[in-house]
Amino acid sequence: MGDKVRGFIVSEVLKTSQPVYNYHPGMHDLCKPCSLWGQCPERADVSFPLLHQGVTVGVVSITAFSQEQETILRQKPIILSNYLGKMADLISNKISSKLLMEQYFSLSQMLEITIQSIHEGVLAVDKEGKCVELNNSGSKILGLTKELILGKVIHEILPSLRLKNVLTKQKGFKDEECWLEVNGKNVKVIGNATPLLHENSVVGAVYSFKDLEDVQRYAYHLTSENDASTFASIIGISEALHATIMRAKRIASSKSTVLILGESGTGKELFARSIHAESPRMKYAFRAINCAAIPEHLLESELFGYNEGAFTGAIKKGKPGKFEMTNGGTIFLDEIGDMPLHLQVKLLRVLQEQTVERIGGSDPIPIDVRIIAATNKNLEQMVQQGTFREDLYYRLHVIPLHIPPLRERQEDIPILMQYFVTHYAQIMDKQIRGFSKETERTLTEYNWPGNVRELQNVVEYAVHMVDAPWIQPNHLPERLTRTSIPPHLDKNVILPLEQLEAEMISKALQKYGTSVEGKRMVAEALGINLATLYRKLQKIK
């Protein structure tokens, strides 16, 4: 078996794909080159081509070595030819079957490797709902080994997975969120199910799925702005700013809620992003929500999400809210003082229970989100007036962080001026060196009620106006260059003591703030006790 056949007849059949009937072996013209020419031991032979898919791949022969065998070959050529033809067909079919099996196993192996290598989880069941496949990614997401689940009825292991309906109703689903309880642990996935049909009958189903947190994290990276704000992005050298940054760095690693207090334009969001960037949550999402900028009827769905059919116009299959999408990360609630009272109740529940409940839903969804809130309003006063919940205030006020206004850190103004002028000069492609002495004095002495944001806008305006190396006072907005003497500084004007007192109290409150600690400092600066200050504040109102 396996030896090379000596014979020129065989070579001819392979070459021509035609049968050869040789009744004179050793004397046939094709045998002349053979070393046994004239003395071949064979008496007769018939050789047929072995065809596979139209190509000659071998030769089938019958050889006579005796007179009796030769007689049979000569007398029954048609019968033997048919026999050899059928033998050739049978061998060809065997070759096809073997090749098909090899191809099948090769494709099967490739399919197995492909299924095991993809990042999406894949789970397949037969028509009885028994698991027949679970790939590596699916095993990792579910926390189940393949050995534990193969051959088991899937709805007994994962009862909340609706594959039983897919098998009975022959209808799959797409992008459906599902809570799967696995070994006492909840796993939230999003997946697609497809019934497997053969001749209009269900033979099984395939469920492909992903970890919902991974999907949300990926969506965040695709849709979020590229903001790499850190504490290094906060510009200034003043002691007040430095002390605030150091305090913010100390609280960055904490899980506790932070309430950032400060006037409009002081950079509250910049501090919030910097805290997140230096926290253990830095690899997860940071989302900023301005509670005052979103209409009240949209704010609830934006924060908490909604289920399918929750209200007219709701997206089919529902939509996760910002809390769910920020799971593992930090959510920044700016202008928290403008949040409606009914949403304050839901936010309080998030802080207390670390769960959210979608609009139209009843199942609490566990989340792990750090909340940083910010406001320029006096929340204590709002609590007293009944416009802000007291319990929510104390939940938010775990770690207060006060951002000093720009007028309290005047040494930072020249640095910020130069930073902004360089920034906008590059954008507008202008050769500007800086500010004249008079302009710098004007900007430094200005009170900046709009803080850093106002200074930034003023410099941007000036860069637009100037066409020389130095920005002059006439390049500034008109409101900064008007010369008017405040009434209490004009020597010719005499004001009532009550008005002067009110102005001094107001100036002190602007400097030290309106918090309890700020009011204590105001009272100390004015030389009165705290009770007297509160009494005078009531009169001013």
mmCIF file of all heavy atoms in Angstrom, residues 431-435 466-471:
data_model
loop_
_atom_site.group_PDB
_atom_site.id
_atom_site.type_symbol
_atom_site.label_atom_id
_atom_site.label_comp_id
_atom_site.label_asym_id
_atom_site.label_seq_id
_atom_site.Cartn_x
_atom_site.Cartn_y
_atom_site.Cartn_z
ATOM 1 N N GLN A 431 -0.303 89.702 16.890
ATOM 2 C CA GLN A 431 0.946 89.901 17.631
ATOM 3 C C GLN A 431 0.706 90.912 18.752
ATOM 4 O O GLN A 431 0.833 92.120 18.570
ATOM 5 C CB GLN A 431 2.049 90.411 16.676
ATOM 6 C CG GLN A 431 2.350 89.454 15.523
ATOM 7 C CD GLN A 431 2.861 88.115 16.015
ATOM 8 O OE1 GLN A 431 3.667 88.042 16.951
ATOM 9 N NE2 GLN A 431 2.398 87.039 15.385
ATOM 10 N N ILE A 432 0.308 90.408 19.913
ATOM 11 C CA ILE A 432 0.002 91.276 21.059
ATOM 12 C C ILE A 432 0.937 90.906 22.197
ATOM 13 O O ILE A 432 1.037 89.733 22.583
ATOM 14 C CB ILE A 432 -1.468 91.124 21.490
ATOM 15 C CG1 ILE A 432 -2.402 91.444 20.312
ATOM 16 C CG2 ILE A 432 -1.780 92.023 22.682
ATOM 17 C CD1 ILE A 432 -3.855 91.185 20.607
ATOM 18 N N ARG A 433 1.599 91.901 22.742
ATOM 19 C CA ARG A 433 2.570 91.646 23.809
ATOM 20 C C ARG A 433 1.938 91.696 25.193
ATOM 21 O O ARG A 433 2.413 91.044 26.123
ATOM 22 C CB ARG A 433 3.709 92.653 23.716
ATOM 23 C CG ARG A 433 4.501 92.526 22.407
ATOM 24 C CD ARG A 433 5.599 93.546 22.323
ATOM 25 N NE ARG A 433 6.607 93.351 23.374
ATOM 26 C CZ ARG A 433 7.676 94.138 23.537
ATOM 27 N NH1 ARG A 433 7.856 95.166 22.732
ATOM 28 N NH2 ARG A 433 8.533 93.894 24.501
ATOM 29 N N GLY A 434 0.879 92.473 25.354
ATOM 30 C CA GLY A 434 0.255 92.543 26.677
ATOM 31 C C GLY A 434 -0.528 93.829 26.869
ATOM 32 O O GLY A 434 -1.128 94.360 25.924
ATOM 33 N N PHE A 435 -0.502 94.350 28.110
ATOM 34 C CA PHE A 435 -1.311 95.506 28.497
ATOM 35 C C PHE A 435 -0.411 96.675 28.887
ATOM 36 O O PHE A 435 0.672 96.481 29.457
ATOM 37 C CB PHE A 435 -2.203 95.142 29.693
ATOM 38 C CG PHE A 435 -3.085 93.945 29.451
ATOM 39 C CD1 PHE A 435 -2.607 92.656 29.640
ATOM 40 C CD2 PHE A 435 -4.394 94.112 29.042
ATOM 41 C CE1 PHE A 435 -3.410 91.553 29.431
ATOM 42 C CE2 PHE A 435 -5.207 93.015 28.834
ATOM 43 C CZ PHE A 435 -4.719 91.735 29.019
ATOM 44 N N VAL A 466 -7.996 95.533 19.537
ATOM 45 C CA VAL A 466 -6.650 96.090 19.400
ATOM 46 C C VAL A 466 -6.009 95.674 18.080
ATOM 47 O O VAL A 466 -6.233 94.577 17.575
ATOM 48 C CB VAL A 466 -5.767 95.645 20.597
ATOM 49 C CG1 VAL A 466 -5.439 94.158 20.511
ATOM 50 C CG2 VAL A 466 -4.504 96.471 20.666
ATOM 51 N N ASP A 467 -5.233 96.583 17.515
ATOM 52 C CA ASP A 467 -4.425 96.263 16.333
ATOM 53 C C ASP A 467 -3.008 96.795 16.530
ATOM 54 O O ASP A 467 -2.354 97.252 15.608
ATOM 55 C CB ASP A 467 -5.053 96.834 15.059
ATOM 56 C CG ASP A 467 -5.396 98.311 15.187
ATOM 57 O OD1 ASP A 467 -4.991 98.924 16.189
ATOM 58 O OD2 ASP A 467 -6.062 98.844 14.283
ATOM 59 N N ALA A 468 -2.569 96.780 17.793
ATOM 60 C CA ALA A 468 -1.230 97.243 18.165
ATOM 61 C C ALA A 468 -0.657 96.247 19.180
ATOM 62 O O ALA A 468 -1.373 95.382 19.698
ATOM 63 C CB ALA A 468 -1.311 98.655 18.770
ATOM 64 N N PRO A 469 0.646 96.350 19.509
ATOM 65 C CA PRO A 469 1.262 95.400 20.441
ATOM 66 C C PRO A 469 0.713 95.477 21.862
ATOM 67 O O PRO A 469 0.779 94.495 22.597
ATOM 68 C CB PRO A 469 2.753 95.763 20.401
ATOM 69 C CG PRO A 469 2.946 96.498 19.127
ATOM 70 C CD PRO A 469 1.673 97.226 18.886
ATOM 71 N N TRP A 470 0.200 96.658 22.256
ATOM 72 C CA TRP A 470 -0.223 96.827 23.648
ATOM 73 C C TRP A 470 -1.689 97.201 23.717
ATOM 74 O O TRP A 470 -2.175 98.030 22.954
ATOM 75 C CB TRP A 470 0.617 97.913 24.337
ATOM 76 C CG TRP A 470 2.085 97.584 24.339
ATOM 77 C CD1 TRP A 470 3.023 98.032 23.472
ATOM 78 C CD2 TRP A 470 2.750 96.716 25.250
ATOM 79 N NE1 TRP A 470 4.246 97.504 23.758
ATOM 80 C CE2 TRP A 470 4.118 96.687 24.871
ATOM 81 C CE3 TRP A 470 2.360 95.970 26.346
ATOM 82 C CZ2 TRP A 470 5.072 95.934 25.532
ATOM 83 C CZ3 TRP A 470 3.305 95.218 27.026
ATOM 84 C CH2 TRP A 470 4.640 95.203 26.623
ATOM 85 N N ILE A 471 -2.408 96.571 24.657
ATOM 86 C CA ILE A 471 -3.828 96.882 24.859
ATOM 87 C C ILE A 471 -3.934 98.118 25.739
ATOM 88 O O ILE A 471 -3.379 98.162 26.848
ATOM 89 C CB ILE A 471 -4.557 95.684 25.516
ATOM 90 C CG1 ILE A 471 -4.570 94.491 24.562
ATOM 91 C CG2 ILE A 471 -5.981 96.063 25.908
ATOM 92 C CD1 ILE A 471 -5.161 93.228 25.154
#
